[in-house]
Amino acid sequence: MRTAAAVLGCSILAAACGGASKPAATGPGNATSATGATDATLGTTGLPGLDWGATTAAVMARYPGATASDDGVTARGAVDGRPATTVFAIGEAGLAHVKTEWTAGYPSMEACADDWEARRVELAARLGEGSAENLAAFWDTATTTITLFCDPTDSGGGVLAITYAPRLE
């Protein structure tokens, strides 16, 4: 198991993941200061101020301007300086999954692979090596599983995405 901590600054949204001493993965969160300090304590999701099981109202309070639907909360803004959409899936037990998908698409999975590889290296520097296979990279924290991947599109292209899910014991 790999453990991660601290926060990665972004234009509008930033992220953080889990435990000990390394800065966090890419994803939604609060902007950080120049020193990397965040304005909120990391929740069990690894994101500032959000715990697994959070209500729609709690997510909306954390992300003003986000929109709620029957399935959860959607926030749009820059993640790591790139336009992205983040969906916070809310189930019967509250916040159950977080997915950020960067807006930029790629004409092929091979084109997505170049950006994926660069992002994987950046994340590995912060989270530890993790594991990777077939354009997906995986990291575990004490409470969260993180996956960075190229997601195929119907047109044969790809998009870069990252997910956060509760760690299953």
Side-chain angles (χ1 to χ4, degrees):
M1 174 174 86
R2 303 250 192 288
T3 306
V7 180
L8 168 65
C10 299
S11 302
I12 296 173
L13 302 175
C17 290
S21 64
K22 295 180 183 177
T26 303
N30 258 0
T32 60
S33 71
T35 63
T38 185
D39 68 347
T41 303
L42 298 180
T44 57
T45 60
L47 303 172
L50 281 182
D51 289 324
W52 294 119
T55 64
T56 297
V59 175
M60 295 289 293
R62 195 75 186 121
Y63 298 92
T67 56
S69 69
D70 290 341
D71 299 323
V73 176
T74 301
R76 289 179 173 74
V79 175
D80 287 345
R82 299 176 184 191
T85 299
T86 300
V87 176
F88 300 86
I90 309 288
E92 288 182 23
L95 182 61
H97 186 264
V98 180
K99 180 180 182 183
T100 295
E101 188 174 285
W102 284 274
T103 305
Y106 303 91
S108 67
M109 289 296 282
E110 292 79 20
C112 185
D114 292 338
D115 202 17
W116 173 85
E117 179 60 25
R119 297 301 208 120
R120 187 194 64 75
V121 169
E122 291 170 7
L123 290 169
R126 293 190 300 270
L127 297 171
E129 210 39 52
S131 62
E133 65 178 65
N134 202 23
L135 294 179
F138 311 93
W139 294 269
D140 286 326
T141 73
T143 58
T144 302
T145 300
I146 304 159
T147 305
L148 174 72
F149 57 100
C150 284
D151 203 8
T153 62
D154 291 338
S155 65
V159 294
L160 189 61
I162 191 166
T163 60
Y164 296 79
R167 183 184 161 106
L168 302 176
E169 294 299 319

